[in-house]
Amino acid sequence: MSWRFMAAALGGLCGAMALGQETAKPWTLEDCLRVGLERSATMANARRDQAIAAARVTQARAQAAPRLTASANYTRLDEVQSIQLGDESLPVGTIDNYAVNGQVSQLLYSGGKVKAALNAARLTATVSDLGLADAEAAMVRDVRTMFYDILLAHAAVTVREESVAQLQALRVNAEAKFTNGKASEFDVITARVKLANEKPELLNARNQHDVALEGFKRLLNVTDEVFQVEGQLTFTPVDADLAILQEGALRNRPAVHYLETTAALKEQDVAAAKADFQPSISTIFLYNGANSYRFASYSSDWQW
């Protein structure tokens, strides 16, 4: 009975291990690029800055648009004061007092401050777009670099494992020959020393592979315990002229346009600061209403 139970438990364990191996599929370079662009904290911050810049554009446009404000108030008096006129008493005001106020204002001139703010907001949006493009380019570069670094580290582990296996076989062979009198003790000691020196190199290669893998998981913002990459280390020769590459980088790199736009943004900041010394002109339209004109009891109707 115990043997059947152990066999069933072993079968279940093997099935769970097989299921785990099927679930934990290796990640290709395309998978890593897609997840890195979606999940990484760097990309999330760049998208957040883009949303903030879009809100600033709307805020800057609001400065040039008409502004409408409205308010209402209600006042209740404990008692109505009165004015004594001879034998007569004239009440002044009412117990319940209502009033509403409406105001529309339009900025006509601000010394160029609104225009500078609007230009600055637009440039800020452009800067955020370029920052997002630069972050995407950097993410693609880092993912590709670290992906192939992991493949290289894995290949180094494989080479060290094969080296240890070969040296292990040489040690066994040397010990067998020494037992049969066909090898000296020096040959056995040499084989053992070579094997002992190679084992730390294997351990170091495995550590470097694990460290690279954990760093890659942090870059992708992945928390999977079982994480493997799948790809090929292939050499592709590139024939390019350095001057052409430099010219293309200056023309196409988002980081270059980011700095140029940032410089233009600073110029708008200067223009906005100079506008503080200019007069500001606005037009205002007011419309007020109350249930009594200046709280005069002789006018109980609403006055506008």
Side-chain angles (χ1 to χ4, degrees):
M1 188 67 178
S2 60
W3 283 103
R4 292 180 180 178
F5 177 77
M6 292 178 62
L10 182 60
L13 179 61
C14 293
M17 293 176 62
L19 181 60
Q21 290 178 356
E22 292 177 359
T23 304
K25 296 181 180 180
W27 290 52
T28 63
L29 177 59
E30 290 73 17
D31 295 334
C32 296
L33 289 172
R34 174 179 54 81
V35 172
L37 293 174
E38 291 177 357
R39 298 187 187 178
S40 70
T42 302
M43 297 305 304
N45 291 334
R47 287 190 288 267
R48 180 200 60 192
D49 293 340
Q50 189 180 42
I52 292 175
R56 288 180 176 176
V57 173
T58 303
Q59 184 180 14
R61 289 175 178 173
Q63 297 182 20
R67 296 185 179 183
L68 172 63
T69 59
S71 63
N73 60 75
Y74 164 73
T75 304
R76 180 176 176 84
L77 303 178
D78 293 336
E79 60 179 348
V80 178
Q81 295 183 354
S82 60
I83 301 176
Q84 195 70 26
L85 299 176
D87 296 335
E88 296 183 1
S89 178
L90 179 63
V92 178
T94 58
I95 294 293
D96 297 313
N97 301 274
Y98 307 88
V100 292
N101 303 284
Q103 174 178 317
V104 178
S105 62
Q106 173 64 57
L107 181 64
L108 300 179
Y109 177 76
S110 63
K113 188 173 184 178
V114 174
K115 181 180 179 181
L118 185 58
N119 292 337
R122 291 172 179 170
L123 290 173
T124 301
T126 303
V127 166
S128 65
D129 293 340
L130 293 172
L132 179 61
D134 187 58
E136 290 178 350
M139 178 58 60
V140 171
R141 177 202 61 200
D142 294 341
V143 168
R144 288 181 178 274
T145 301
M146 297 186 70
F147 182 86
Y148 287 108
D149 285 344
I150 293 174
L151 293 182
L152 182 60
H154 180 72
V157 171
T158 302
V159 170
R160 292 297 181 181
E161 289 176 344
E162 293 176 352
S163 179
V164 168
Q166 183 180 14
L167 292 175
Q168 180 74 20
L170 291 176
R171 180 185 65 81
V172 173
N173 189 24
E175 291 176 349
K177 288 183 177 181
F178 177 74
T179 302
N180 296 328
K182 295 182 179 180
S184 63
E185 184 178 2
F186 177 78
D187 295 333
V188 175
I189 295 175
T190 301
R192 291 176 178 175
V193 170
K194 289 182 178 180
L195 177 60
N197 290 336
E198 189 65 20
K199 287 183 177 179
E201 298 297 333
L202 173 59
L203 181 61
N204 184 39
R206 287 174 175 171
N207 289 337
Q208 291 182 357
H209 175 266
D210 293 341
V211 169
L213 202 60
E214 289 299 322
F216 195 42
K217 289 172 62 177
R218 288 194 299 272
L219 176 67
L220 301 181
N221 197 15
V222 174
T223 58
D224 299 350
E225 294 184 0
V226 180
F227 182 80
Q228 298 176 352
V229 298
E230 181 181 53
Q232 298 294 330
L233 282 173
T234 57
F235 172 71
T236 304
V238 177
D239 185 13
D241 183 77
L242 178 59
I244 296 178
L245 292 177
Q246 291 175 340
E247 181 183 356
L250 293 175
R251 182 177 62 254
N252 300 324
R253 279 198 65 185
V256 176
H257 299 293
Y258 177 90
L259 295 176
E260 293 174 349
T261 309
T262 301
L265 179 60
K266 298 300 181 182
E267 294 178 355
Q268 296 302 320
D269 291 340
V270 173
K274 291 181 178 179
D276 290 336
F277 298 95
Q278 300 294 326
S280 177
I281 302 176
S282 300
T283 180
I284 299 176
F285 174 77
L286 300 175
Y287 196 64
N288 303 327
N291 65 326
S292 62
Y293 183 71
R294 294 184 181 180
F295 304 105
S297 60
Y298 55 81
S299 180
S300 59
D301 296 333
W302 277 76
Q303 301 295 321
W304 296 94

